[in-house]
Amino acid sequence: MPTYVLLSTLTPSGGSTLHTHPHRLKEVNKEISQFGCKVVAQYALLGSFDFLTIVEAPDNETIAHLSVDLGSRGTVKVMSMPAIAIDSLVDKLQSPEQMGRE
């Protein structure tokens, strides 16, 4: 399955909910799994984003749907990005289809 990076920021409501119910993090991960996705890794961050979650999902549409659903709760804002494995990128860069190479 393709890999995606989700960068999320809690809203004030989400921060309050998490502070009162820290177990919600694990419950959301279970919901993500029920959505047909797999949480590969998750980290709490310091800085502009509160969490980084690595997710495998069937396709772009599924991860977009997941991001919209999570955001619709009003507790989190999610930025989703596809992640490309380095080996796959190197293979693609070495392929015969090139525009800038003679």
Side-chain angles (χ1 to χ4, degrees), residues 32-101:
I32 290 172
S33 294
Q34 293 168 352
F35 216 83
C37 303
K38 177 184 175 188
V39 175
V40 175
Q42 189 170 42
Y43 301 91
L45 302 175
L46 302 175
S48 299
F49 296 96
D50 296 316
F51 297 98
L52 176 138
T53 307
I54 310 293
V55 175
E56 290 179 345
D59 49 47
N60 289 338
E61 293 80 8
T62 300
I63 207 71
H65 186 182
L66 173 66
S67 295
V68 168
D69 277 15
L70 290 173
S72 72
R73 299 174 180 187
T75 56
V76 67
K77 294 180 183 180
V78 181
M79 178 190 300
S80 304
M81 298 175 283
I84 302 167
I86 293 299
D87 289 341
S88 295
L89 177 61
V90 169
D91 289 347
K92 185 57 80 173
L93 291 172
Q94 293 175 339
S95 71
E97 300 85 22
Q98 299 293 328
M99 292 175 60
R101 189 185 321 162

Side-chain angles (χ1 to χ4, degrees), residues 1-43:
M1 278 199 287
T3 302
Y4 298 88
V5 172
L6 305 181
L7 291 170
S8 55
T9 304
L10 296 171
T11 65
S13 170
S16 177
T17 297
L18 186 58
H19 187 263
T20 306
H21 306 285
H23 63 277
R24 276 295 296 147
L25 280 174
K26 299 287 185 178
E27 289 174 12
V28 170
N29 288 349
K30 287 180 189 174
E31 293 171 350
I32 290 172
S33 294
Q34 293 168 352
F35 216 83
C37 303
K38 177 184 175 188
V39 175
V40 175
Q42 189 170 42
Y43 301 91

